[in-house]
Amino acid sequence: MNRGVMLKSARELLPVTLLLGLIAMGIEAVLAYVLPTFSRQFSAQMMRVEFIRNIIKAMLGTDLAEGLGPELFVSIPWVHPVLLAVIWAHAIICCTRVPAGEIDRGTIDVLLGLPVSRWRLYISDSLVCLLSAVAMFVCALAGNTMGISRVQNVNHAPFASVLVVVANLMALYLAVGATAWFFSSLSDRRGRAMGVVFVIVVASFLLNYLAQFWEPAQQLAPFGILRYYRPLFILRNGDWPTRDLAILLTSAAVLWTAGGVIFSRRDLSTL
């Protein structure tokens, strides 16, 4: 690790982390309060509208056969598309900076001119990205805690189970971030790398939705990352999703390592 690289990365990531962290906090606070408070009204609407039921099924990974229990309304804030969009935006923005962002800005020569190896540059920047992600997740958790604390006459999910949900979401973040690092290491343009990862995560969301009622999509569902993030089951059972975590973290490790290998060996002298 290199202190100079880490300070540079921290300065560049601070504004976007603060902005998206506050947005995530606000989203969690509002949803964590509104959904359990008005659960009866929402339940009646969801049961009548098939489209909404399919969206809920896609987000939660369940067919709602067990009914709309209190755990459902506690878990929705953690799978809401707006929150996922904020989480994915942070991952894509942070993890496409090196090397694609530096190449795009014409500063890659300055970065490579530092007296450190490319692997140390890669690891240093990755560590700062990870710390910024942790900061944003703390903001989201704080917002969720503030929102749910205002709800009256509702059984609150154990805080330990909520932490397991956050850990699962963090693993999802790392999988998306590692994908961004991988394509960043292949690309000369940051916008191109960001676009590819954006298409991948949107396709994964659509695949998760289509799998609820289209058989060909069901067969492809294991290739979608949202298949391995199901907070409703965690809040209902209180168990660690070890299989889902293993798949997400293994995918993240493989893609991040592949990105580092490509970056360390790629000829950037002519760019």
Side-chain angles (χ1 to χ4, degrees):
M1 294 179 290
N2 182 270
R3 183 179 179 182
V5 175
M6 294 181 68
L7 289 175
K8 174 180 179 296
S9 298
R11 286 194 299 268
E12 294 179 357
L13 292 180
L14 182 60
V16 68
T17 300
L18 284 176
L19 175 62
L20 295 181
L22 291 175
I23 292 174
M25 179 186 290
I27 293 169
E28 282 297 309
V30 171
L31 292 177
Y33 171 74
V34 171
L35 291 175
T37 302
F38 301 99
S39 58
R40 291 186 178 181
Q41 296 90 320
F42 288 131
S43 297
Q45 295 177 4
M46 289 177 186
M47 295 302 291
R48 288 198 301 263
V49 182
E50 184 66 22
F51 175 75
I52 296 179
R53 285 176 58 84
N54 287 333
I55 289 290
I56 298 298
K57 287 162 59 179
M59 291 192 300
L60 298 176
T62 178
D63 60 2
L64 306 181
E66 299 183 26
L68 303 178
E71 299 90 353
L72 182 143
F73 294 98
V74 176
S75 63
I76 286 179
W78 293 108
V79 294
H80 196 279
V82 178
L83 176 71
L84 293 180
V86 171
I87 297 294
W88 289 339
H90 187 272
I92 294 172
I93 291 171
C94 292
C95 301
T96 53
R97 293 175 50 261
V98 176
E102 298 289 343
I103 297 173
D104 211 9
R105 293 188 299 180
T107 56
I108 189 64
D109 290 337
V110 176
L111 187 66
L112 296 181
L114 296 174
V116 292
S117 67
R118 292 191 185 186
W119 265 111
R120 290 185 66 184
L121 290 174
Y122 190 70
I123 293 173
S124 298
D125 183 73
S126 299
L127 181 59
V128 175
C129 291
L130 179 60
L131 292 175
S132 68
V134 171
M136 190 178 65
F137 276 84
V138 169
C139 290
L141 182 60
N144 184 269
T145 303
M146 288 187 295
I148 202 69
S149 66
R150 306 291 296 179
V151 179
Q152 304 296 326
N153 302 321
V154 173
N155 293 328
H156 296 177
F159 188 69
S161 297
V162 176
L163 289 179
V164 177
V165 171
V166 174
N168 197 175
L169 183 58
M170 186 68 183
L172 181 70
Y173 175 100
L174 292 176
V176 174
T179 304
W181 269 311
F182 176 74
F183 284 103
S184 175
S185 67
L186 292 170
S187 180
D188 300 338
R189 296 289 180 267
R190 188 181 187 187
R192 185 184 305 161
M194 294 175 67
V196 171
V197 183
F198 175 78
V199 169
I200 290 174
V201 295
V202 170
S204 180
F205 183 85
L206 291 176
L207 179 63
N208 210 46
Y209 172 73
L210 294 174
Q212 305 306 315
F213 51 84
W214 191 34
E215 186 174 351
Q218 293 175 7
Q219 298 175 356
L220 296 173
F223 295 99
I225 56 175
L226 287 175
R227 175 70 175 267
Y228 309 104
Y229 174 60
R230 297 179 291 179
L232 178 60
F233 293 93
I234 298 173
L235 295 174
R236 277 180 176 171
N237 305 323
D239 298 330
W240 278 85
T242 52
R243 177 178 174 274
D244 294 340
L245 288 172
I247 292 173
L248 290 172
L249 293 177
T250 300
S251 301
V254 170
L255 287 168
W256 180 84
T257 303
V261 170
I262 294 171
F263 174 52
S264 66
R265 299 181 178 181
R266 186 179 171 192
D267 182 9
L268 300 173
S269 60
T270 58
L271 298 176

